[in-house]
Amino acid sequence: MINTPDFNEINSIMAYLKQVPFEISRKELYNAASLYSGFVPGKEESFKTCFDTLVYQHYMAKGKQCSVVGESLARTLHDHGMHLAMTDFFKEHDSRSCVGIMGGHALARTDTMYREIVMLSKKLTEHGFYMLSGGGPGAMEATHLGAWMAGRSLEETDDAIGMLLAAPTFRDRGWLTTAFQVMEKYPQAEYVSLGIPTWLYGHEPSTPFATHIAKFFENSIREDSILTLAYGGIVFAPGSAGTMQEIFQEAVQNHYLSFGISSPMVFLGKEFWTEEMPAYPLLEGLMERGKYKNLRLTLTNDSEEIVSELLDFHEVIKDFTIGTIHE
């Protein structure tokens, strides 16, 4: 039985839900236009009042861990909508063809690894894969730029990268403007990619090159989704703590065959993954001692080897029925 105080609290929560700066009932993924609504390329001050920034400011003002019932409910309802929107996305796009690239957000556009990831993502997209990343800057941006430039020439892709060099990192003025300028010069509607960023790291802007963007408040849901959905395999580019977390989270899923298959774990950068951050020999050693099972590990500097590995795996699972958390 609901008493008067309960009714009053419900009415208060309903009133709160009406004034948050985001749609709690949204059932569509974002894109560059909707996430950055209000941003005008070339007018950097407009970033401060665009939709994404206003939501982030509200999020920070209320607290990353918020105890206000109305705010917690609003965020939960929004994230549930993102979950449903991704379900619809994968009704149209075969999840067995979804490949993720994980890597550092700090990777500069001027770094040779940035171009390497762009070209790898471009090749994979042209082979029919759908690229997935955490949807932020650095290696994540490179992933979606490559997917965006699929079907275009090497010269056009290098020109696009060259346009971005005016703002090497997301901390540099013009980072977002130059991305929109590339999209305007090289429009496309044929290839899709999925970025899954979070307002928890809202100080890192989401890349507009992702044609579909599922932005979450709850980072744990977001992290799990990124690794779960990349059934076609994951490429680990050089990164830091976040990338290391993703490596071992993915290893656990593959070890237990949590979703029926073990997807390839491909490490791009032999020196980095064996010396600077020796995760690869650690995993190999654990496999040899039986602490991990079922892992499909590859270490390489060769993007062609990565494409071949993922294409071979796709042939293995092309008739495999995948049951996911989104079905």
Side-chain angles (χ1 to χ4, degrees):
M1 180 177 181
I2 301 178
N3 56 32
T4 300
D6 291 334
F7 272 118
N8 291 339
E9 183 176 3
I10 292 171
N11 287 334
S12 176
I13 292 172
M14 294 302 294
Y16 187 92
L17 295 178
K18 292 179 181 179
Q19 57 84 42
V20 296
F22 52 88
E23 297 175 70
I24 64 170
S25 58
R26 185 180 182 91
K27 300 296 187 297
E28 295 180 1
L29 296 175
Y30 295 103
N31 57 21
S34 58
L35 189 64
Y36 288 115
S37 176
F39 174 72
V40 181
K43 296 184 178 180
E44 300 303 312
E45 65 278 5
S46 65
F47 177 73
K48 297 179 181 178
T49 56
C50 74
F51 170 78
D52 186 56
T53 301
L54 293 178
V55 175
Y56 178 59
Q57 291 172 343
H58 171 85
Y59 172 73
M60 293 299 291
K62 297 300 180 181
K64 293 181 178 180
Q65 299 296 326
C66 183
S67 60
V68 177
V69 174
E71 180 66 20
S72 296
L73 180 59
R75 295 178 186 181
T76 299
L77 290 172
H78 172 276
D79 285 0
H80 178 64
M82 288 293 99
H83 181 99
L84 295 178
M86 286 198 297
T87 299
D88 290 339
F89 177 88
F90 283 102
K91 286 178 180 177
E92 299 181 11
H93 304 94
D94 187 352
S95 56
R96 291 168 296 188
S97 298
C98 185
V99 170
I101 296 183
M102 309 296 137
H105 67 272
L107 182 68
R109 292 164 165 176
T110 52
D111 196 299
T112 55
M113 181 57 71
Y114 183 93
R115 185 180 184 277
E116 183 77 19
I117 294 171
V118 171
M119 296 305 176
L120 171 61
S121 179
K122 181 177 183 293
K123 291 175 186 175
L124 289 170
T125 302
E126 289 168 347
H127 278 287
F129 290 104
Y130 303 103
M131 302 311 298
L132 169 70
S133 88
M140 295 171 280
E141 179 191 55
T143 299
H144 297 286
L145 173 60
W148 185 272
M149 297 302 293
R152 292 192 179 274
S153 68
L154 177 62
E155 291 73 22
E156 289 174 313
T157 306
D158 279 331
D159 179 57
I161 295 173
M163 292 172 65
L164 299 176
L165 298 184
T169 77
F170 70 90
R171 295 183 177 88
D172 295 312
R173 183 178 177 84
W175 182 87
L176 190 57
T177 286
T178 52
F180 273 95
Q181 289 171 341
V182 167
M183 294 166 70
E184 181 179 8
K185 183 173 182 179
Y186 296 109
Q188 69 90 17
E190 181 177 355
Y191 300 99
V192 304
S193 66
L194 176 63
I196 311 181
T198 173
W199 277 291
L200 178 67
Y201 303 134
H203 61 288
E204 301 173 8
S206 305
T207 174
F209 290 117
T211 60
H212 296 71
I213 303 172
K215 193 155 190 175
F216 284 87
F217 289 104
E218 189 59 56
N219 186 51
S220 60
I221 298 174
R222 170 248 188 182
E223 283 280 2
D224 185 71
S225 295
I226 293 170
L227 298 171
T228 299
L229 293 170
Y231 292 110
I234 295 181
V235 178
F236 294 100
S240 56
T243 308
M244 287 292 284
Q245 173 188 328
E246 289 159 350
I247 288 170
F248 289 98
Q249 190 172 341
E250 174 67 5
V252 169
Q253 289 188 167
N254 287 330
H255 170 81
Y256 287 112
L257 300 178
S258 299
F259 299 96
I261 58 172
S262 174
S263 300
M265 298 176 65
V266 182
F267 292 78
L268 174 60
K270 287 185 176 181
E271 182 177 354
F272 183 87
W273 290 118
T274 58
E275 298 180 19
E276 188 168 342
M277 294 187 75
Y280 191 85
L282 173 59
L283 286 173
E284 273 197 321
L286 291 171
M287 282 274 287
E288 290 172 1
R289 296 197 298 274
K291 300 300 182 181
Y292 274 116
K293 299 178 181 179
N294 305 315
L295 303 190
R296 298 171 178 262
L297 303 176
T298 300
L299 176 66
T300 184
N301 291 327
D302 185 356
S303 61
E304 292 297 335
E305 183 180 354
I306 295 174
V307 173
S308 178
E309 169 73 16
L310 296 178
L311 284 172
D312 288 346
F313 179 70
H314 189 266
E315 281 297 307
V316 171
I317 66 166
K318 65 181 181 179
D319 297 322
F320 185 83
T321 301
I322 297 174
T324 81
I325 59 172
H326 296 283
E327 290 182 352

